Each structure stands twice: as C-alpha cells, then as structure tokens.
Amino acid sequence: MKWTKRMKRTALIMLIAVVAVIAGCQAVAGVDFNKVIVNSLKVDSAESKSTISLQLLTNKELIDELELPAQQQRLLTLVSNLKLQVNEAKVQDANHMSAKGALTLGDSSSIGYGLVIDGDSAIITLDGAKKPFVLDMTGTTALETLGMEAPADSSAKPASDETLTALGKKLIDQIGGYLVGTMPNPEGLSVVPAQASVNGETLTLAHVNVQLDATQVWAWAKDYLTKLQGDREGLRKLIVGVTDLLMEDPALLKAIVGDDSEEPIAKPTDEEINEIADSIIESIQSLTTVMKDTEKDKDFKKLVNKDSYVKADLYVDSKLDVRKTDVEVKFKPDASIFEDEGIPFEGVVLNVNQEMWNVNGTVVSDKVDAQTKKSAQPIEALAQKQGYEVLRMFDTKSTVYSLLRNDLHIGKQTVSLYVWDESNPPIITPAGVTLVPLREVANQLGASLTASNGKLTFYDPAKKTSIVLRKGNKQVLVNGKNQTWSFPVTAIGGTTYVAARDLAKALGTTIQWIGDSNSKYIFMMEREVS
C-alpha cells in the first residue's frame, strides 16, 4: 500500500510536533545540550521536590474603579496567587509513582494532598476529606488517548503503551541531534561551574543560565525557522530516519495512520519523501509569513516587549542530567492592552523550581493498601453530584471545606425557569400568583418526584424535606405537617404546577423575577446548602 495523503499529513504533524516540543541549543563551554535534552526526556525513575507558582499581576486602580462585589474580589484574591508544592515525588517507573505536597490559593491556608499511582488506579488524598478519591486508569491505552486504534489484524502485535514509549525514545535519539544542531544559541547564554544544594547535598554542577526578553525570544524563533526552512536535505534525512523507525513496527504504524486493512504499508518512495520534506518547508514558510505579518500589527510592540521575559537556571551534573531547575517566565504587555478591554490585570508570572536526585536509579514509590482503595470515592462520580453533596465529603472544620463553601459557594443551588420555554415555563395567574413546574424544580435541585396512589411525593435530600401533594388540592403535607397553599396543585398540558412562593418556603429558597419595567422573563429560586 502506498503512502496516502492522510499518511503524509500524519507524518507531517508528527514531525512538526517534535520540532515544537524539543528545545535546546548547541554545545557551550563543553556542555553537550543535545545530550542534556535527550537525557531529560528519557528519565524513567527519579526522586524530586518542586514548587510551581502562578501570580496574576493585578491593576488595583482598575479593580477599585470596577467596584466588584465582595465575592468577586475574594475570588480574584484567590486566583491571583496560586502555589503548588511537591514536597516529595517518587517516580518508580511509567506506571508507579507517588507525590505529597500542598496547594495554596491566595491568602488561604494550604491544602495538603497525596497522590499514589499504582498501575491501574490513582489514589488521591486531601486534607479534610473524609475518604480518599480514586481515578480508574484502566481500559484506555496511550493510542486510544491520542484518538488512535490498533488494527484489527489479529496476527499483528498490539501497539501497547510500552511500544509507544520505546518508539518515543528512539525518535528522540534519531532526531534530537538534528534539531538541536540546527537550533541557534540563544542570546545571553552562559555556562559556569557552580555549587548547588540538591536535597540537602552540596554538589559541583555546571550552571547554565539564559535570560531572554520577549523581543529576543521572537527574534530567536524567526532565526530558527529560517535555518530549518533552508535545510531541505537535513529535513529529508530526518524523514527517512523517522520512517525507518516506524516501518520497524507495522502494527504501530497502522494505528498511527489509521489504516485497518490487511495490506502492509509500503516504505515511502524517494518522491514521497521529497513531498513530505517540501510540505514541512511550506508549513515553516507559512509560519514565518504569519510572524512577519504579525510584526506589522499596531499592537505588536505592546505585546512583544522587554517587560516580558524568560529566565532559566539549570544545574547539570557530569552525567548530563538536570539536577536543579529555576525558571521564571513573565508576560507583561503594555498596560493599555488590558485596560482597553476593562481587564483588571497587568500580566502574569510563572515560577518553577525543582530539585531532582536518584535519576534513573532504584526508586520505590509509596503504596496504597487494599482497604484504602476499596473505600475510595470515584472522581468520575463527582460530576454527577450536587455541590452540597461534594461539600459533605469534607470535614466542616477543614480548609478545603471553607474554601468550597465560603469562597467558591459550591453549595449554592439555582433554579432558572424561562418564560420562553415551550415545555416548562413559569406562569403568572390572573390573580398574580406565580406557578412553577414541580418536576423541573426537582430536577434542577437534585430532588425526586414520585407518584403513588393518587399522591405526588417531592423529596429534597439536601434538606431532608418531604412534600406530599394531590392534584387539584391546596392541602399538602410538609414533613408530615398539614399546610394550606395559596393555589391548588394544577396540571397544565401534562405538567404539574404549584405555587412558587409556598414551594420556596418549604425548600428554604429565595425567589425573584428578572426582567425590566415592561416584562418579566426569568424566574429564579436560590438557596445555599452546606
């Protein structure tokens, strides 16, 4: 079988993706950056600790002018400063790892967490959670995650996650030298011997430092693309090397290109190789053209300026393994960019600090006992729960409970009914009584509505409230006590309606109409449940 247009396009995407992912530079001061990059991508086991922080630079004057409600100001404070600490991480292999640390939002207290990935599941613990959470990691291969399927040919060896990993390492070895060799050295790159502390141990390492502002990064990227664009023969050799690797595993190749036929895929001809190389060069040319056009935009210099930058310090050992990393990335465009849009931010700063030891050594990750696994709550089920149900999974005195309840208000429930809804609109009677569809209210609140022996029973698990009604009757039972409502339970077009104010009182919700002086179009019921 020949390489079809789809196969060529797939190969093109793969190669461009590799170009985009791999970054580095030529050897400086005796440090082979090609090897450093390759090593960093081929770490199978290690121990480490790290801190990742994200800070939004706020415009306090604009925030004051916007006069945000207190709840929105509080949320702004929380998301403006995020910090994830990994105090202990152990990577045993691709299927076994563990981590412990804390997450901090704004000025709130830290929320401790633990993570254990043990083959078929990931167990997550959170400070204040009554039970751990579990994420099922079985049943989906890496190919399926990428939207690919192994061919139906039973005689072919399945393309497993391990196969993909092995191929990935071969691809790194095959093309890393070419990409890094072509890549220009960033401006301001330096390498000096230095001592650094890694996990409490003082080591003599090669200190690699680079500082680039946004204008330098932009110029560097253009230079790199120009070099790739002019190296057709180098790209051609790269494609030949990649296709040779792919041809070694027919099953994996078929899965990648989406071919489920029994006919084997033939090795691409020289003409087809040339077509792929020309396609890559054409794509690079298009990207270069886009960059040049972007430079003509009136806001270009406001976005790509010297106030935005990347600073990186890498500490590399004699084996060319990265042992310590300190990276700071700042994006701060001209103030007018955000002000013109009424956005109360000036920019963002990302900091990443990491120390790594026992690289590719013997590492044993933490384990989880069978009883803990059995008691864990599936994370997938959280999406089906009401906010108050999630709240009740945590200790009321815990930091995470306070955050979820008082800051994020996940226990807030809102019923929204629209007058233009053809099936379940709110209705206003001639006497001015608002009626609401009972089942729709039950659905939006996570309550139940059942019928038996001529009675309707509305059960609200959030408040443990039971309401028993009869159609055509004003008399209802609320938690076993008789009440007389302002309007009889009424069926309209097959939908059961009740008086909104009476139902709201029984359920503990507020009610309001949203509209203008001439009309009302949305009826809302709200409450907060903890």
Side-chain angles (χ1 to χ4, degrees):
M1 176 181 293
K2 290 187 176 182
W3 277 53
T4 63
K5 184 176 181 180
R6 180 178 181 182
M7 296 177 189
K8 295 172 185 175
R9 185 172 63 249
T10 302
L12 171 62
I13 292 172
M14 287 181 61
L15 290 173
I16 291 178
V18 173
V19 171
V21 169
I22 296 184
C25 47
Q26 300 167 359
V28 175
V31 177
D32 184 352
F33 288 103
N34 182 359
K35 185 66 173 176
V36 171
I37 295 167
V38 170
N39 283 0
S40 66
L41 295 173
K42 295 172 66 176
V43 173
D44 294 319
S45 62
E47 296 179 69
S48 66
K49 58 183 178 181
S50 57
T51 301
I52 302 172
S53 63
L54 182 69
Q55 179 187 10
L56 293 178
L57 307 176
T58 55
N59 185 329
K60 295 182 180 179
E61 292 184 3
L62 185 54
I63 291 175
D64 292 339
E65 290 178 11
L66 292 174
E67 296 182 346
L68 298 173
Q71 182 179 342
Q72 291 186 19
Q73 289 191 34
R74 177 58 181 159
L75 289 175
L76 190 60
T77 299
L78 290 174
V79 301
S80 293
N81 287 281
L82 305 176
K83 183 168 71 172
L84 176 67
Q85 290 177 270
V86 183
N87 299 327
E88 174 190 288
K90 301 175 183 178
V91 178
Q92 180 174 327
D93 53 44
N95 298 313
H96 299 83
M97 68 158 289
S98 60
K100 297 176 182 177
L103 173 67
T104 305
L105 289 78
D107 56 2
S108 67
S109 300
S110 297
I111 300 170
Y113 71 87
L115 168 68
V116 175
I117 297 177
D118 191 7
D120 59 356
S121 64
I123 304 295
I124 302 167
T125 57
L126 291 175
D127 285 355
K130 296 176 181 178
K131 294 181 180 180
F133 300 94
V134 61
L135 177 63
D136 184 6
M137 301 182 69
T138 62
T140 302
T141 66
L143 280 177
E144 292 168 336
T145 302
L146 295 171
M148 307 173 189
E149 294 183 2
D153 181 9
S154 60
S155 64
K157 183 181 178 180
S160 64
D161 291 358
E162 291 76 12
T163 304
L164 282 173
T165 300
L167 175 64
K169 291 181 179 180
K170 289 181 180 179
L171 285 173
I172 291 170
D173 288 334
Q174 176 71 34
I175 65 181
Y178 167 74
L179 291 176
V180 177
T182 308
M183 192 174 291
N185 286 333
E187 202 176 323
L189 177 70
S190 66
V191 180
V192 296
Q195 288 191 325
S197 177
V198 177
N199 193 36
E201 180 182 2
T202 301
L203 303 176
T204 299
L205 305 168
H207 176 201
V208 182
N209 173 264
V210 63
Q211 300 185 36
L212 296 172
D213 62 44
T215 62
Q216 293 171 314
V217 172
W218 186 270
W220 177 86
K222 284 177 59 181
D223 189 16
Y224 184 34
L225 290 174
T226 299
K227 288 192 173 186
L228 287 175
Q229 183 179 320
D231 189 18
R232 184 177 185 277
E233 185 57 31
L235 283 172
R236 191 182 182 286
K237 290 180 179 178
L238 176 62
I239 296 164
V240 171
V242 171
T243 54
D244 285 345
L245 284 176
L246 292 175
M247 294 299 296
E248 292 178 4
D249 193 327
L252 180 57
L253 178 57
K254 282 183 172 247
I256 291 173
V257 302
D259 179 18
D260 57 2
S261 70
E262 295 184 4
E263 186 178 352
I265 297 176
K267 185 174 181 178
T269 64
D270 287 345
E271 182 180 353
E272 289 170 332
I273 293 291
N274 290 335
E275 287 178 5
I276 296 174
D278 290 339
S279 295
I280 293 175
I281 290 174
E282 184 178 338
S283 297
I284 295 172
Q285 288 173 336
S286 298
L287 182 54
T288 302
T289 300
V290 170
M291 293 182 74
K292 289 180 179 178
D293 291 341
T294 303
E295 291 173 350
K296 299 174 184 178
D297 190 283
K298 61 182 179 66
D299 288 332
F300 173 75
K301 291 185 178 180
K302 293 181 179 180
L303 289 166
V304 181
N305 58 32
K306 293 184 180 296
D307 290 331
S308 299
Y309 59 78
V310 56
K311 298 178 181 178
D313 291 284
L314 306 179
Y315 295 85
V316 183
D317 66 14
S318 59
K319 296 180 181 179
L320 299 183
D321 290 324
V322 177
R323 302 295 300 278
K324 186 172 184 177
T325 304
D326 295 309
V327 177
E328 179 174 301
V329 180
K330 183 178 183 180
F331 174 62
K332 188 179 181 183
D334 186 87
S336 62
I337 294 294
F338 289 128
E339 288 178 354
D340 291 347
E341 300 296 329
I343 300 174
F345 299 115
E346 295 179 347
V348 61
V349 179
L350 172 68
N351 282 280
V352 179
N353 310 102
Q354 184 182 54
E355 297 177 15
M356 185 177 294
W357 60 96
N358 199 10
V359 180
N360 289 325
T362 301
V363 178
V364 179
S365 60
D366 295 341
K367 307 300 178 186
V368 174
D369 59 73
Q371 184 58 39
T372 300
K373 279 188 178 182
K374 186 177 180 180
S375 68
Q377 307 168 94
I379 289 180
E380 297 90 338
L382 296 181
Q384 308 301 321
K385 293 183 178 295
Q386 293 284 328
Y388 74 86
E389 293 178 297
V390 176
L391 269 179
R392 292 174 182 177
M393 294 179 174
F394 298 91
D395 189 306
T396 57
K397 296 181 180 179
S398 65
T399 298
V400 66
Y401 181 90
S402 176
L403 175 69
L404 295 175
R405 182 184 185 277
N406 302 326
D407 296 320
L408 301 181
H409 296 276
I410 71 166
K412 185 176 182 179
Q413 292 184 305
T414 301
V415 176
S416 300
L417 304 170
Y418 304 92
V419 296
W420 54 78
D421 188 331
E422 294 181 359
S423 57
N424 297 309
I427 297 172
I428 300 179
T429 69
V433 178
T434 297
L435 304 180
V436 294
L438 190 59
R439 185 170 296 279
E440 182 63 25
V441 173
N443 290 341
Q444 293 194 36
L445 291 180
S448 63
L449 183 62
T450 57
S452 178
N453 298 324
K455 298 179 182 179
L456 292 173
T457 301
F458 183 108
Y459 182 70
D460 174 24
K463 295 281 190 176
K464 295 183 179 179
T465 299
S466 174
I467 306 173
V468 181
L469 318 92
R470 288 180 181 272
K471 291 182 180 179
N473 202 323
K474 290 185 178 182
Q475 302 300 313
V476 302
L477 284 175
V478 179
N479 290 333
K481 296 182 179 180
N482 287 306
Q483 290 186 8
T484 302
W485 283 10
S486 58
F487 200 88
V489 178
T490 304
I492 303 175
T495 299
T496 301
Y497 280 83
V498 298
R501 190 173 299 277
D502 296 319
L503 180 62
K505 183 177 180 180
L507 298 177
T509 73
T510 61
I511 57 174
Q512 66 169 326
W513 274 102
I514 295 177
D516 52 37
S517 57
N518 297 319
S519 63
K520 300 174 181 178
Y521 40 83
I522 303 177
F523 184 75
M524 298 184 69
M525 305 172 66
E526 289 186 333
R527 69 181 182 183
E528 190 149 3
V529 185
S530 58

